[in-house]
Amino acid sequence: MRSLKHKNFSKKKVISLLAIVATAMMIVGVMVGVLLNRVAQADTNDAVLPSRFGRMFRNQPSFAPPTDVIRAALLEMGKAGGILDAKDNLAAGPLALIVDPALNVNNPNNPNHTAGTTFFGQFMDHDITFDLSSRLGRVTPPVSAPNGRTPAFDLDTVYGDGPFASPTFYDPTDQIKLRLENGGLFEDLPRDANNRALVVDPRNDQHLILTGILSAFHLFHNRAVDLVRSQSPSINNVNAFNEARRLTTWHYQWLILHEFLPQIIGQDRVNEILRNGRRFYTPLPGRGFIPVEFQVGYRFGHSMVRPSYRANLAGDNGQPFFAFIFDPSQDGKADPSDLRGFARAPRRFIGWQTFFDFNDTQIRRNKLIDTKISSALFNLPLQAIVEGTPPTSLLQRNLLRHVTWQLPSGQTLARAIGVSVLSKNDLAELRSIYPTFDTSTPLWYYILKEAELMERGLRLGPLGSRIIGEVIIGLLQVDPKSYLNVNPSWVPTLPTRTGRPEDFRMVDFLTFARVDPASRGQ
């Protein structure tokens, strides 16, 4: 009898336990469903944290399904020798590609941009976005992807967490100044034994021009520290650092709004967005984020890169240093003859009169914003790729991101904002690559083609301008520490060449940093 009761008790206990387990599983299932629904809603409604990517345009279909056929088509579009390749005659050498007009017919210069416009824009990009986890060509919900930079033009890529939390990046002899070393003739970033730059964001040592820009920001800040201390001799280090950082950041923000953005989208469109407000990028105050449409569309700057540059006028044993932006044949060399980073030698510095206009006739120009991309970008050194893995074509990498984020087509977004849509014939070159690409075009390519056809490559077209303009202006407007919020009537306080504060431009920035041609003596 006891045995029977024990068996009945055991059965009841088992049944009860199963019921508890079933209830728990149901609760867990409900919770998982709620979480997944919230993730889906966040991706749809852009209810994202500043530390995540998001969407600017909601509930829009992807340009194409994430299939192997689509991935193969995108690789075909972006391959060396393909429709995007300007087919520069690299065998002619870096000097000839700069000075021989016959070699630039298929890859024309932009008369409205100086060569430095590209790299100031790249520095800005590194200041606001760093995709840490998504995989090329593999679908990733934007809301699940962390952004390794703060989505604000706050120079966190320069300052890190500040001198007390990130002392590695600061001068041990004066802890509120940024660290620099001598690279030979002129300044260089601090480096370890393997020539890796000791900086907040290693991408800012991808090539010599970025290295030079970051070095100039270090010097500008350090001079701002000296200025603050001279004006307030009793100021403590914390307040002196904060004031020097504010001065540096606000002058940088001024350059973004008053020099860079008007060159890229036109002063008329900048004025329109400021006057009438943003229509599609609408984050809450203090909650700016990077939309994936911007993260991919902003790569229009790759079309402005020249195959080669004059890095400086007299640094190569008294002669100009001409070099390709990248040349894989230079892998492993201590002093490569291209402009890659991760190297130190006396000639490896930037003469800024090549890149910004000091009125000395030495300026060189950008390439047009169009669908002809300099051939040097189709075979990058692996060390210039953050992941260190193929594909080495920068353009294939750009195109695969459309699958990663499941981006809408350019046509879809042009209709969404109410601007003219490129016709099938405008994009006829894409039909042989994939049958629907002429009516459902990857956004990055569409932005380039729109600029080429509607603006002669001199600036972005209406769709590209709306995406780029609204996000850049929006990030400044929602940042509670930007000058637009703290003091909208502020104008630069440092010297300008014209004597007018509102005329502060990059040449004035470089002059204050003392890397201008006169200070260099070259």
Side-chain angles (χ1 to χ4, degrees):
M1 188 70 176
R2 179 179 296 176
S3 176
L4 182 60
K5 285 182 178 180
H6 179 69
K7 287 181 181 178
N8 289 338
F9 174 77
S10 298
K11 289 179 180 178
K12 289 178 181 178
K13 187 174 181 180
V14 169
I15 291 170
S16 297
L17 287 171
L18 288 173
I20 291 170
V21 170
T23 303
M25 289 178 66
M26 181 178 69
I27 293 171
V28 170
V30 170
M31 291 176 67
V32 170
V34 168
L35 288 172
L36 290 174
N37 188 48
R38 285 181 179 174
V39 169
Q41 287 178 345
D43 191 41
T44 300
N45 299 325
D46 271 342
V48 292
L49 296 171
S51 60
R52 301 279 167 164
F53 289 94
R55 293 193 187 277
M56 188 171 177
F57 296 91
R58 309 175 184 100
N59 304 316
Q60 299 290 353
S62 173
F63 81 104
T67 65
D68 288 341
V69 172
I70 293 298
R71 294 185 191 95
L74 296 174
L75 291 172
E76 177 69 18
M77 278 183 70
K79 73 178 183 179
I83 63 168
L84 280 159
D85 192 343
K87 301 178 177 63
D88 298 302
N89 182 6
L90 300 182
L95 172 59
L97 285 168
I98 294 172
V99 302
D100 186 350
L103 296 177
N104 287 275
V105 173
N106 200 41
N107 195 8
N109 294 337
N110 186 336
N112 296 346
H113 290 182
T114 68
T117 306
T118 303
F119 304 107
F120 184 83
Q122 187 179 17
F123 179 83
M124 286 169 53
D125 174 65
H126 291 179
D127 191 34
I128 58 174
T129 177
F130 194 177
D131 180 7
L132 294 170
S133 64
S134 72
R135 295 175 58 203
L136 289 177
R138 302 299 169 187
V139 177
T140 305
V143 74
S144 73
N147 180 6
R149 300 261 65 88
T150 58
F153 294 109
D154 60 359
L155 294 177
D156 75 310
T157 191
V158 174
Y159 293 106
D161 294 323
F164 308 108
S166 303
T168 302
F169 310 125
Y170 291 82
D171 186 344
T173 66
D174 189 342
Q175 65 183 142
I176 67 169
K177 287 188 173 183
L178 288 157
R179 186 176 167 190
L180 278 167
E181 293 177 359
N182 191 291
L185 291 181
F186 296 104
E187 76 287 333
D188 186 22
L189 298 173
R191 298 184 181 277
D192 64 16
N194 296 315
N195 271 334
R196 292 189 174 275
L198 302 174
V199 293
V200 177
D201 191 327
R203 296 176 300 169
N204 282 336
D205 191 35
Q206 283 179 334
H207 55 72
L208 186 58
I209 308 164
L210 268 179
T211 301
I213 289 178
L214 181 56
S215 296
F217 270 85
H218 282 214
L219 287 165
F220 188 102
H221 167 84
N222 292 351
R223 285 211 66 207
V225 169
D226 292 338
L227 178 64
V228 169
R229 285 171 169 168
S230 70
Q231 294 173 337
S232 303
S234 62
I235 195 169
N236 64 38
N237 273 352
V238 172
N239 291 335
F241 172 79
N242 290 336
E243 178 60 12
R245 179 172 182 170
R246 183 193 66 79
L247 276 173
T248 305
T249 304
W250 282 14
H251 282 82
Y252 161 62
Q253 292 173 349
W254 180 273
L255 295 175
I256 292 170
L257 191 58
H258 293 273
E259 183 173 18
F260 176 79
L261 196 54
Q263 290 180 325
I264 297 304
I265 72 172
Q267 189 65 57
D268 56 337
R269 289 171 176 156
V270 173
N271 294 343
E272 192 278 327
I273 295 171
L274 291 172
R275 181 175 60 250
N276 298 327
R278 291 171 280 110
R279 295 164 52 202
F280 304 102
Y281 180 63
T282 56
L284 297 173
R287 291 178 62 88
F289 68 93
I290 302 300
V292 288
E293 299 91 338
F294 174 89
Q295 196 241 24
V296 170
Y298 193 76
R299 296 166 189 271
F300 74 88
H302 296 157
S303 71
M304 304 191 304
V305 177
R306 303 184 61 89
S308 60
Y309 293 87
R310 183 184 60 192
N312 54 61
L313 270 67
D316 198 1
N317 294 315
Q319 298 300 311
F321 178 22
F322 293 97
F324 290 117
I325 183 70
F326 293 118
D327 179 359
S329 73
Q330 299 301 300
D331 288 354
K333 295 186 178 180
D335 181 14
S337 63
D338 65 0
L339 297 181
R340 72 181 63 203
F342 309 100
R344 173 179 283 175
R347 66 176 178 171
R348 304 191 75 78
F349 68 92
I350 296 299
W352 291 111
Q353 61 268 63
T354 291
F355 296 89
F356 297 98
D357 193 356
F358 288 88
N359 293 320
D360 57 5
T361 72
Q362 295 297 331
I363 189 64
R364 293 293 183 267
R365 298 293 171 183
N366 259 350
K367 294 301 181 181
L368 292 174
I369 304 173
D370 60 14
T371 56
K372 299 303 179 190
I373 314 296
S374 293
S375 298
L377 299 185
F378 288 83
N379 189 11
L380 302 180
L382 285 176
Q383 71 177 39
I385 299 171
V386 173
E387 300 88 347
T389 57
T392 59
S393 166
L394 182 58
L395 302 315
Q396 289 179 330
R397 301 180 70 85
N398 290 349
L399 289 161
L400 287 172
R401 292 179 192 279
H402 293 74
V403 174
T404 300
W405 302 127
Q406 286 291 272
L407 287 175
S409 69
Q411 291 88 342
T412 295
L413 295 188
R415 294 186 188 99
I417 71 170
V419 298
S420 297
V421 180
L422 297 182
S423 71
K424 291 181 63 172
N425 288 338
D426 291 332
L427 297 153
E429 69 274 15
L430 298 180
R431 289 176 197 153
S432 62
I433 293 174
Y434 191 76
T436 62
F437 278 5
D438 60 347
T439 56
S440 187
T441 306
L443 177 62
W444 174 75
Y445 187 91
Y446 186 96
I447 287 173
L448 296 183
K449 194 70 172 185
E450 180 192 59
E452 179 181 313
L453 296 179
M454 294 187 177
E455 303 288 350
R456 295 178 294 125
L458 300 176
R459 65 177 187 172
L460 291 174
L463 174 60
S465 292
R466 179 59 60 176
I467 292 172
I468 303 308
E470 284 206 10
V471 173
I472 288 177
I473 291 172
L475 291 175
L476 290 168
Q477 289 177 331
V478 303
D479 175 8
K481 294 183 179 180
S482 79
Y483 85 86
L484 286 183
N485 277 313
V486 177
N487 185 3
S489 62
W490 178 84
V491 295
T493 57
L494 296 175
T496 65
R497 289 177 172 262
T498 67
R500 290 160 42 94
E502 62 270 26
D503 290 342
F504 186 86
R505 296 295 183 265
M506 191 61 179
V507 291
D508 302 304
F509 185 99
L510 296 168
T511 300
F512 183 78
R514 291 181 178 166
V515 296
D516 58 301
S519 297
R520 289 243 196 264
Q522 291 195 353

